[in-house]
Amino acid sequence: MTVEQGTGLELDDIQIGALHERPSPYVGTYLLLRIDDPAAGRALVRRLLPLVDSGRSTALPEHGAWITAAFTYSGLKALGVPQESLDSFAPEFQQGMAARATELGDVGDSHPSNWEAPLGTSDVHVAVAVLSSDAARLEAAAEKARRAHKELAGVELIWRQDCYQLPNGRTSFGFKDGIGQPAVEGSGTPSRNAKEEPLKAGEIVLGYPDETGELPPMPTPEVLGRNGTYVVFRKLHTRVAAYRQYLRAKAASREEEALLGAKMVGRWQSGAPLTVSPERDDPELGADAARNNDFGYADDLRGFKCPAGAHARRANPRDSLDQDGSVNVRLHRMIRRGTSYGPMLPDGVLEDDGADRGIVFVFAGAHLRRQFEFVKTQWLNDGIFIGAPAEKDPLVGQSDGSGTFTIPRTPIRRKLPDLPPFVVTRGGEYCFAPGLSALRWLADLDT
Ligand code: HEM
């Protein structure tokens, strides 16, 4: 096994999705499968193995696509993983996302009883993500993945979601996404924020020390846990027309609409951070990977440039929180691999066309609870940490229509009242993406 000098990171045993950025532009598809027969499930894993690339891969993986395979708790059970081993996984993973709905704020329209079938049910066993730079390569790779399960009686394809980068390179609300990512020691990807040292590998991949200096709890046996990572996927429907109507109603001009939208996100649509360019969008800055993530909030503690309640600042408060050393922001970082689905609502349209559009939010990390769940519950769905307990994330906080968002200003701050819910959860799942040796171990299970 090749070991990355200095960090011991076994890149060629780690699935590509966690540590490698996906292509841009991209097209992709997510497949969910149900295993009705353990032997067929293991045959599926055996067939998927040669298709899954490792973190060692160069720009274009061997199969022309980034293929990642992950399993839910029910999926590992369906493969015949022994109970003792199942019990060694993180408790949240064992429960599954639907069981965590109350904690996560998935209520009302976002409640699991309203989720798209079969999301959130014990039928979801295997998740396969296939991402490529163009449709022809994607089809070829997806066909291989399809062949892997097609003739297998006992394995059923139960859901498929296609995704693609919108023509403007943005997500459905109009913003560039996927910029704020931590670098990981030993992954080969440099930090794009001079104020943020690369994270210890154990924050993202199991089997290595994390930021606390300890090895994160790892499922047993070691061959199953090592080089694996927890993956969260959430299909999030975005109510783009409602979002546009709200901004139109609150703003006196198009310029102000853009400003209010940027204040809610923490970046302008181009990706330019408000902290660096507080007055107006700066597309050159937004497109410049060397500069668009190179900032902190320490010189803007009162949020005059970027409100403390803005989505990106809540999700990663950077140096604004650890001023007194009480909060270690580095313990709550995550890799995001979100993609867009559904058609774009054409520019300027304010009426809902009924189409389903949004993002498939994807998280990768070693700690479901202190990374994904912490950020969602303490920082996005709550405002205590910024001294505004009644406020939630203005974009994704799933407000019930009574939420408020505060924009600090002099002489008087501005409050945006009655925020409608702009994002509805359509469903999702907690998964585990094992290392390649672990996939082999799963394929060879003898039960
Ligand atoms: C439909 C739902 C969502 C939309 C439209 C959305 C959109 C965005 C946008 C436009 C950015 C700024 C660009 C960037 O820094 O990459 C961003 C950043 C971010 N979002 Fe979201 N997001 C959504 C849901 C979530 C959820 C559920 C989480 C976590 C639980 C999350 C975590 C983050 C993080 C960690 C950042 C990076 C912050 C930074 O490092 O500065 N987002 N999001």
Side-chain angles (χ1 to χ4, degrees):
M1 199 171 287
T2 321
V3 168
E4 193 58 24
Q5 287 302 320
T7 59
L9 202 54
E10 292 156 359
L11 283 179
D12 53 7
D13 198 50
I14 299 167
Q15 290 201 49
I16 190 168
L19 297 178
H20 262 259
E21 281 183 23
R22 54 167 164 65
S24 176
Y26 62 84
V27 280
T29 184
Y30 300 93
L31 308 169
L32 294 182
L33 303 138
R34 189 186 63 226
I35 298 168
D36 294 322
D37 167 52
R42 294 194 291 266
L44 169 74
V45 177
R46 204 164 299 124
R47 291 177 181 195
L48 284 175
L49 240 170
L51 301 178
V52 172
D53 279 285
S54 75
R56 164 80 51 208
S57 302
T58 47
L60 187 66
E62 198 183 330
H63 303 282
W66 283 245
I67 300 184
T68 309
F71 303 85
T72 61
Y73 176 78
S74 328
L76 293 177
K77 206 172 179 159
L79 282 173
V81 171
Q83 192 61 42
E84 191 191 345
S85 167
L86 292 170
D87 292 344
S88 66
F89 279 84
E92 303 76 33
F93 171 76
Q94 295 184 38
Q95 288 172 37
M97 186 186 286
R100 310 287 298 160
T102 310
E103 283 86 349
L104 294 174
D106 284 330
V107 294
D109 286 350
S110 293
H111 188 268
S113 56
N114 295 319
W115 285 6
E116 190 176 307
L119 301 177
T121 70
S122 55
D123 276 356
V124 178
H125 292 163
V126 188
V128 178
V130 188
L131 288 166
S132 189
S133 50
D134 63 70
R137 283 202 178 95
L138 172 74
E139 260 329 301
E143 182 49 35
K144 284 187 199 162
R146 266 196 294 274
R147 248 183 275 138
H149 69 78
K150 222 159 51 189
E151 316 93 41
L152 282 175
V155 175
E156 205 63 50
L157 176 66
I158 54 171
W159 189 76
R160 174 182 174 153
Q161 177 67 62
D162 292 333
C163 61
Y164 66 104
Q165 185 162 307
L166 297 177
N168 59 5
R170 312 271 171 91
T171 51
S172 52
F173 287 130
F175 290 82
K176 185 171 167 174
D177 196 1
I179 310 168
Q181 303 274 24
V184 180
E185 265 187 22
S187 70
T189 310
S191 176
R192 299 224 168 93
N193 182 359
K195 296 182 181 66
E196 187 181 54
E197 291 285 307
L199 288 181
K200 293 285 176 229
E203 286 297 314
I204 306 299
V205 185
L206 295 172
Y208 305 88
D210 64 18
E211 288 289 320
T212 67
E214 307 282 325
L215 284 174
M218 192 168 77
T220 55
E222 181 169 347
V223 60
L224 176 60
R226 188 171 178 78
N227 292 326
T229 185
Y230 288 106
V231 172
V232 173
F233 79 87
R234 275 163 85 74
K235 181 174 176 184
L236 299 173
H237 167 67
T238 49
R239 299 181 61 227
V240 179
Y243 167 79
R244 289 183 186 169
Q245 286 167 18
Y246 183 81
L247 291 183
R248 181 66 50 94
K250 300 294 174 212
S253 65
R254 294 297 159 86
E255 290 70 36
E256 198 188 2
E257 254 177 61
L259 178 67
L260 295 183
K263 292 279 187 188
M264 282 159 92
V265 169
R267 291 183 183 268
W268 295 93
Q269 290 202 344
S270 73
L274 270 181
T275 316
V276 183
S277 181
E279 305 293 337
R280 61 194 59 79
D281 198 353
D282 178 348
E284 236 175 75
L285 168 62
D288 185 349
R291 291 193 297 142
N292 63 14
N293 198 37
D294 193 14
F295 66 95
Y297 299 110
D299 65 344
D300 183 31
L301 291 180
R302 297 181 63 193
F304 288 122
K305 290 190 269 186
C306 175
H311 170 68
R313 183 161 171 173
R314 280 175 174 265
N316 178 16
R318 303 184 182 218
D319 51 3
S320 68
L321 265 202
D322 45 16
Q323 295 291 311
D324 58 0
S326 61
V327 183
N328 185 352
V329 172
R330 293 170 68 78
L331 299 182
H332 310 293
R333 302 289 286 121
M334 64 183 76
I335 298 280
R336 290 173 304 135
R337 296 277 182 253
T339 53
S340 292
Y341 75 89
M344 220 170 106
L345 187 64
D347 275 347
V349 174
L350 293 185
E351 290 313 311
D352 188 18
D353 60 359
D356 190 12
R357 58 174 60 83
I359 66 167
V360 177
F361 170 90
V362 177
F363 153 101
H367 300 271
L368 280 176
R369 195 174 177 80
R370 80 156 153 82
Q371 294 172 328
F372 171 70
E373 289 201 346
F374 180 93
V375 171
K376 183 76 175 82
T377 60
Q378 309 295 304
W379 288 351
L380 300 185
N381 292 354
D382 205 322
I384 293 176
F385 81 112
I386 51 167
E391 295 194 11
K392 294 180 181 182
D393 187 298
L395 196 67
V396 311
Q398 290 163 3
S399 162
D400 58 4
S402 63
T404 302
F405 173 56
T406 303
I407 304 175
R409 273 190 328 190
T410 46
I412 217 173
R413 65 189 174 198
R414 170 144 194 211
K415 282 196 179 273
L416 294 183
D418 308 324
L419 282 164
F422 296 128
V423 173
V424 180
T425 309
R426 292 272 197 243
E429 201 41 272
Y430 288 165
C431 301
F432 179 69
L436 271 58
S437 311
L439 283 173
R440 243 167 261 128
W441 182 85
L442 287 169
D444 293 344
L445 269 175
D446 189 9
T447 55

